[in-house]
Structures are given as C-alpha cells and as structure tokens.
Amino acid sequence: MRKLLLFLLLLAKGVAVHAQVYSVVEESTTDVEYISATQMVCRERRVITVLDKKGLHAADFQVSLNKGYSSLNRFSGVVADANGKVVRKIKKGDLAYSEYSEMLADDACYYHYGCASPGYPFTVTYEWEEKHEDGIVGLPLFVPQNEYHQAVRSAHYHLEASPGLEFGYKVFNVDADVKESVGEKGRKVLDIVLDSLPALRKEPFSPSMYELLPHAYVVPATFVFDGYEGSYASWQEYAAWLHSLMEGRGVLPQDFVLELKQKASQCGGDREKVQLVYDILASSTRYVSVQLGVGGMQPAPASEVHRTGYGDCKALTNYARAMLAELGIESNYVVINTEREDITKDFVNGAQFNHAILQVPLPGDTLWLECTNPTLPLGYLHDGIAGHEALVVDDAGGVVCRLPAYADSLNVQLNRMTLTLAADGGVVAAVRRECRAAQYESLKFFSRLSEVEKRDFLRSSLDMPNADVGGIGIEEIKDGEPFFAVECSVESGRYGSRSGNRLFLPLNPFKSTVSLPEEEERRSDIVIRSGGVYLDSVEFVLPDGFEVESLAEPVDVSTPFGSVSLNVVQEGNSVFVVQRSSIVKGRYPKEMYGALRLFVKLLSGISDSKMVLRKVK
C-alpha cells in the first residue's frame, strides 16, 4: 500500500492547474540539405525568450555529434535583454567541448554552452551548421517544443533532397502545415510549418511526452552507413539490415566452445542450457555502453566480448546468441524501446529503439533475456520491456511483436506485521514484506545494500518514529514466478499518540498519504502504467489494562481504476487489520479524472484510519 501511495504522490508532484509559461521559442528553423546517401548539411536557428528562472535551462545550447561522421562547422550566439539590447555575443570558442562519456567507448562528442541570465525576461539566439558525411541512417528530427511549460511562436522545417534521393516523414500530435514541392534542379522539397503552440501542462497520470509533444520523423527511404546499405521500406527490410550488421560477429574461441559444450552436457534440457549461458553472462561480463561505428547499432564481435568481459546491450545480446548457437539453440536479436510501449508500425525508422534483448523460442515457452543484467531471473520481464512492442530480427528479416506482461493480479506486494503494544505507546514488531512478479523489482536490489542501508530502507517504509530495525533476513526465488521477501524486527518508543487515558493508533503502519489536485480542464487521457495488488495484514497485540474504544468501519469499494477494502476485527486481546488495494493498468478517458481523484482520496482516507484504546480504570 505504501508503494502504491508513494507512486501516486510522485505523479502528483509538480502539477499546476494552469500551464504556466517559463520559456517561449520565438523561432525554430531547421534547414536540411540532403546531398547524397552519405552527405548532408543541417543549418539551425533557434530564438528563445526566457521568462522565469524555472525556464533558464531552455536557454542552454547543446549539440551531440558522432566523431568521424559529423562536425560542427559554424556557430554563433547572441543574448539580448528585455529591451532588445545585446548584452553578450557567443562564439564557437566559448562552447565547452567534451568527448567524455559514462560509456567506456563512444563516438559521441558534445558542444555545450550554459547561458547565464542577464535578468528576466531575456532572449538568446543560436545559429549553427552541422555537416554529416560517410553515412546517414536518419535525417534530423523536428521537435521545436521539447519540454513542459514552453510555448512556440513559429517553427519551420525545410528539407531539400538531391534528385534520386527519396525520403519519408510523419508528423505527430499536431495538425501542421505540410507542403511537398519540387525546387531548383529537380530537388524534392519538404516544408513543415508550426505556429502558436501553447505550453503543455504537466498532468498526473498523463501519457508520455512522446504522445504529447508535436514532432516529426524524417528518414531516407534507403541509406548507407559505413558501407552497410539498408532500407526503411518495411520493418522486415530494416530488420534484415540489422541482421547484416551481425554477420560474422558470432564466432567464439574454440577452447571456450569446447568448455561450454562440456558444461552443457551436464544439463537436463534446453532451458537448463539457456540458464547456463545466462549464468556465464552474470559471472564473466559486465554492461558498459559502447557506441562505435554504424551509429552505435552494430554489436561488437562475440570473441571481443569474451576477451574483454564487457559490452553494451547489443554486444552482450550477440554474445549470448553466439553461445546458444554453439549449443544448437535458436535465438533472435531483438530491438525495443524501454520508455515507450508502442511502435509506430506504419512508419518504419530505427530511432524508435534504444535497447537490445534476446528472444529464445523454446518449445512451449518463449524466453526473453535481459543480457545487460543477467542477475535477474531467467526470462523475467522487467518494467522496461514487459508489454512493449519490439522488432524481432531473424534470418528471414524480422517481425514486430508485443512482449507479454504479468497480469495485474500476479503483481502482489504483501506486508505482514505483528505489533506488541506497550502501555506508553511503545511497540515491538515483527515485519515481513513479500513481492511477486513485477513487484519483485521493488525489492530485488535489497540484497546488494549494506547493513546500514538495509536498516535505513526498512525504517523509511514504516510510520514509526526513531524505529530500531534488526534481525534482517531475506528470501529470493528466481525460478518460475520471481519472488523476494524481507523480514525484520522493529522496536520504537512511540507508535501513534497518547492523550490522557487513551491511545490513538494508526491502523496501517505502512501508510502514506497522497492527493491529486483539482483540474479545471483535463487535457490528456489518464494512463496508469502499472497495476498490482497491495495487501497489508497487521495484528495488534493490545497492552494489558487497555480496551478498544473504537475501530474503523469495514470498507469495500470497486472502481474502474481498482478496488480497496478494509476489515478490522477484535479477537481476544488482538485486533486484526486487513487492507487490500488493487490498481488496474490501463488507459482511461480524461473525463474520468474526477472519479480517479475520489478513488485516490478514498485510498488515503483508509490509510489514515485509526483505532482508539482506552485505559481501563
């Protein structure tokens, strides 16, 4: 229950009833000269007025390039005050340049300028030119509005392609003025114009920004990158290009292959062999993002991963695929987006993916392997991939499919507690938390914490001031449905409050309170991204000399968003409290926001319920 209410609280933070405007994009112009399959020049102009310090970051400049494939040819910037007076000129030499990355190896380089405010409002103008050569997988995106609380006055995307070069485009979330024409020397021209975009307000339970921000994808119909030719004519053809990037990269050292087969001979079947490969990943490799060549889309050779012991998602996936192939087990490379559940299936482009995993289609059971974190249970579908659409790359090309997800009813968090109360309000308690299926992720990290961190984490989940936590134990099951449990003992000098001869005690020691703001006009659908069941079972052992004066009434309410029930009964010297809440994952029309507010209010109200004990005279 506590996790549920904290989840609601995080979504509610930072929400305004009206869309305040912190910055305005006065002008956004993207001018693309698509010269050949391997050459392109992009000229950009961006004029931004910052109205408030909350929008100051919108005045910063940053461009990311790919060393060896793109460069920043020209740059200039101007800062003007509220009266239009130029107070600062910015040259290319003023930009910070960095090739640093958290990744071990990376072709990326960055130019950055942090714009200081001369006072509000102020306006900054940036103009720059990028040159791209030796390969183009995608043409520049058009995203003039890229954050909440930012308005746009005028935006224009202009593309001219040399004769014979074809491209495709798709505009999202806005009714733009789009025009195709033929320019000088037979060039194919595309113009996309947007005017007067209002600022977006951050709403609780809103769809992803991808669904809200106006933008356009533009891609070449065919492309060449680093000598590899590909096509966006269909998902099958794009997958075939990805497949070609892996050719010859699945070779492993023969001594390792012999060792692998020897170990596999002890396995009872294919699933055990897959587990063997997964265990080898866990014990001998580590994840380090490596973005080299072919836009960071080509996996490193399996032999290189074996030698170095590291790789990015592509390399580790390819390494596992190579090991399985040596054991005669078919597997398929898969690209997926960890932030978006759906693929825009009617517009083929590689920019929709940011991760790679492995599909292992065993008879009667298809496994999905997260090779960057093989400490997860074999085949576990974590939040970043469960229920997401993906492109499965096989020998025939590829196909778009949706990964399965755990049913809401399987995602269970169970909290059990027995509290022995003292007459002064102190308490000694035994606590156990169990998490199953998708809820497993809320505890899977626990075993890696230090003893101090473990106590702090458990203390933070309880409504007990100055609690002393000890006797910590864990239980983890990785086979089948993943399961993680933590138990501990807790002592606290005070639980609830005392007034005269009465003790006022919260019924739920795991409680948290949250509310959703009123909204005059809800603009977007309601999206609940994860569902589950939250069950709190608490036994209060009453102190000698006290009796129950009042208990909360039973509650049992069901709504489209979920349900909540509360039952409190006294049996002898104990009071038993069972609180059950469920959340239903789904998308709901914006008109139901008022009903959602009432449901959240009900959850918080029940969580705040108390019982009253009275000292017997």
Side-chain angles (χ1 to χ4, degrees), residues 336-351:
I336 196 168
N337 193 307
T338 57
E339 298 173 358
R340 290 170 44 194
E341 287 195 5
D342 299 324
I343 292 174
T344 305
K345 291 184 284 294
D346 63 348
F347 186 72
V348 181
N349 68 95

Side-chain angles (χ1 to χ4, degrees), residues 74-276:
R74 294 188 298 104
F75 170 85
S76 65
V78 174
V79 179
D81 63 17
N83 298 315
K85 180 182 177 181
V86 174
V87 296
R88 190 181 312 134
K89 292 185 178 180
I90 310 165
K91 306 182 297 296
K92 184 177 178 180
D94 297 323
L95 302 180
Y97 174 79
S98 176
E99 296 181 4
Y100 170 77
S101 173
E102 295 180 356
M103 305 168 186
L104 180 67
D106 195 333
D107 272 342
C109 61
Y110 308 88
Y111 287 92
H112 175 80
Y113 181 79
C115 188
S117 168
Y120 298 98
F122 73 93
T123 300
V124 59
T125 301
Y126 295 117
E127 295 185 69
W128 70 99
E129 179 182 286
E130 301 172 19
K131 184 177 181 181
H132 300 257
E133 53 189 355
D134 293 334
I136 300 166
V137 174
L139 299 171
L141 298 176
F142 184 42
V143 193
Q145 183 182 39
N146 49 41
E147 60 187 58
Y148 291 110
H149 304 293
Q150 182 178 77
V152 176
R153 296 195 191 280
S154 175
H156 183 195
Y157 186 97
H158 178 78
L159 169 69
E160 292 191 15
S162 297
L165 294 178
E166 300 295 327
F167 58 85
Y169 64 90
K170 188 175 180 66
V171 180
F172 298 84
N173 308 324
V174 69
D175 185 16
D177 180 9
V178 181
K179 180 182 179 182
E180 295 183 63
S181 60
V182 178
E184 295 181 1
K185 301 180 180 179
R187 291 180 175 179
K188 188 176 181 180
V189 178
L190 171 68
D191 287 285
I192 305 174
V193 178
L194 297 175
D195 291 307
S196 303
L197 298 177
L200 293 175
R201 181 179 73 236
K202 186 173 177 59
E203 297 178 316
F205 295 103
S206 66
S208 66
M209 292 189 73
Y210 174 82
E211 293 188 54
L212 301 175
L213 291 176
H215 65 282
Y217 277 133
V218 187
V219 297
T222 59
F223 53 88
V224 179
F225 204 111
D226 210 23
Y228 291 87
E229 298 183 8
S231 168
Y232 287 125
S234 67
W235 285 115
Q236 187 174 17
E237 291 197 31
Y238 176 65
W241 181 73
L242 290 176
H243 191 273
S244 72
L245 300 183
M246 295 186 289
E247 292 179 0
R249 292 179 171 253
V251 179
L252 294 167
Q254 279 306 300
D255 57 343
F256 173 66
V257 171
L258 292 174
E259 179 185 349
L260 176 65
K261 290 182 176 180
Q262 175 61 34
K263 291 179 179 178
S265 67
Q266 308 301 314
C267 295
D270 282 353
R271 187 181 178 93
E272 286 190 26
K273 292 177 182 178
V274 177
Q275 182 69 65
L276 169 65

Side-chain angles (χ1 to χ4, degrees), residues 102-106 249 280-282 284-292 296 298-320 333 355-356 370-374:
E102 295 180 356
M103 305 168 186
L104 180 67
D106 195 333
R249 292 179 171 253
I280 290 173
L281 281 177
S284 64
T285 68
R286 60 190 176 96
Y287 168 74
V288 181
S289 187
V290 183
Q291 307 290 333
L292 295 175
Q298 185 175 49
S303 58
E304 187 71 10
V305 176
H306 178 75
R307 183 183 66 83
T308 62
Y310 66 77
D312 64 1
C313 61
K314 304 179 299 297
L316 295 175
T317 298
N318 182 59
Y319 184 45
Y333 186 81
H355 191 49
E370 175 55 86
C371 298
T372 61
N373 188 4

